[in-house]
Amino acid sequence: MEWQTLHNSPSLPPLYLRAALKRNISGTTLPDCGLRCPVRVNPRAVEAYRKVCGFADGPMLPATYPHILAFGLQLQLLTAKHFPFPLLGLVHLRNRMRILRPLGAVSEVQVSVHAQNLQPHAKGATFDLITTLDDSLGRLWEGESRMLCRGAKLAGESMDQPLQIIDPLNELLRWQVPTDIGRRYARVSGDYNPIHLSALTAKLFGFPQAIAHGLWSKARALAALEEHLPIVNIEIEVDFKKPVRLPSEVILSCSPPGSNGQWQLKGAGDIEHMIGQWKPIG
């Protein structure tokens, strides 16, 4: 793996322009390279993120906040000329993260991103976007996002195994997802994907309504589950199912608190939006 080290987080507007201009698949091989960058944590930005996602105030960074710290690097990697798939149209299928040490008193970290594990899929090809956070003491957090590129052609069959609900789940909470949550989340995350911003921009990409960011839905669910989960030595995995249309009501059901458990996010008509699970690392 060849690593390129940046001195600052990339500026997002030029990367959005790159993304808009690249519409075609240019290959079926992932680049053997990654990006690294020191990133400073902004307490005001963390506070704004907490409010949008429903996290309570506290000394620990929200478990999902590293996604925000890494977004610029991820965007630069996925819009690079040698990356074979166009960013627009990628579908986030699964997300896994591991919290290795407490995310307290975190002020500056090194963020690293790369792509690996290109695999065939019934609808195209998938790859894993790998993100890590390190501080002066070593590894803090690891993330893995399974992305689907529709239309890419690889030989072989998909070996992916979706999560299955095996625990009895009880309703924990329900909430209204407002029409503007896509715009509000974009302001704290930097992710201005048009399918999340308004019905008008979503229709340009074939969606009848705007849909919530998958990582917002995950963060909102984990905010509601904070009292259920350990704060360290935990692996959290989610499968994204049907998108949450804006506006709508969703229902969160989960296992009892403990070292292992599952949860499910559903909408009207029993539509399944997300399945998640947590377990100890190792």
Side-chain angles (χ1 to χ4, degrees):
M1 177 72 65
E2 180 180 343
W3 290 96
Q4 178 185 358
T5 300
L6 308 182
H7 297 297
N8 298 290
S9 293
S11 173
L12 297 183
L15 301 180
Y16 278 121
L17 179 59
R18 267 197 222 170
L21 293 176
K22 182 173 182 178
R23 298 297 182 95
N24 298 318
I25 297 169
S26 58
T28 54
T29 304
L30 295 175
D32 189 25
C33 61
L35 299 174
R36 291 173 172 162
C37 182
V39 178
R40 181 166 291 277
V41 177
N42 181 335
R44 289 187 178 181
V46 176
E47 181 182 1
Y49 178 84
R50 289 184 190 277
K51 290 180 179 178
V52 170
C53 297
F55 288 100
D57 291 337
M60 302 289 180
L61 282 181
T64 50
Y65 195 70
H67 292 301
I68 307 304
L69 298 176
F71 181 68
L73 273 190
Q74 292 172 345
L75 204 60
Q76 176 145 329
L77 181 78
L78 296 176
T79 59
K81 290 182 180 179
H82 53 272
F83 200 82
F85 307 131
L87 177 62
L88 289 177
L90 289 181
V91 181
H92 197 171
L93 297 180
R94 176 174 293 179
N95 183 269
R96 179 188 292 121
M97 62 185 188
R98 302 175 185 90
I99 305 168
L100 304 171
R101 291 193 286 118
L103 299 178
V106 178
S107 59
E108 185 170 319
V109 294
Q110 177 175 264
V111 179
S112 304
V113 302
H114 70 280
Q116 65 180 34
N117 193 30
L118 186 63
Q119 297 287 338
H121 187 276
K123 296 181 179 179
T126 62
F127 65 91
D128 294 334
L129 179 62
I130 307 299
T131 303
T132 60
L133 262 69
D134 295 83
D135 65 5
S136 59
L137 298 177
R139 185 62 44 86
L140 275 168
W141 183 98
E142 298 173 345
E144 178 185 301
S145 295
R146 177 72 48 83
M147 311 300 294
L148 167 67
C149 177
R150 289 193 179 100
K153 298 186 183 300
L154 293 179
E157 296 183 3
S158 174
M159 303 298 290
D160 198 32
Q161 296 292 325
L163 294 179
Q164 301 288 335
I165 294 295
I166 57 175
D167 296 334
L169 306 182
N170 296 312
E171 182 177 330
L172 176 69
L173 189 65
R174 60 178 66 201
W175 62 84
Q176 298 292 329
V177 184
T179 304
D180 68 344
I181 196 61
R183 296 188 293 275
R184 290 169 56 199
Y185 185 75
R187 286 194 288 271
V188 300
S189 68
D191 186 351
Y192 283 88
N193 189 323
I195 65 176
H196 305 303
L197 302 182
S198 70
L200 180 62
T201 55
K203 286 176 182 176
L204 297 175
F205 293 87
F207 291 87
Q209 297 166 253
I211 61 174
H213 293 74
L215 288 178
W216 176 84
S217 296
K218 176 188 174 184
R220 181 66 184 87
L222 290 179
L225 289 165
E226 271 192 302
E227 299 299 322
H228 283 60
L229 310 181
I231 63 172
V232 71
N233 192 40
I234 182 175
E235 177 177 295
I236 301 170
E237 185 173 10
V238 301
D239 275 0
F240 298 111
K241 303 293 188 176
K242 297 290 185 181
V244 177
R245 295 186 180 187
L246 304 179
S248 62
E249 181 182 67
V250 294
I251 302 166
L252 178 67
S253 301
C254 67
S255 309
S259 59
N260 295 273
Q262 294 187 300
W263 80 89
Q264 188 174 46
L265 194 69
K266 286 189 171 184
D270 217 32
I271 295 174
E272 190 174 57
H273 296 305
M274 183 171 60
I275 292 176
Q277 67 180 23
W278 71 89
K279 62 183 180 181
I281 296 172

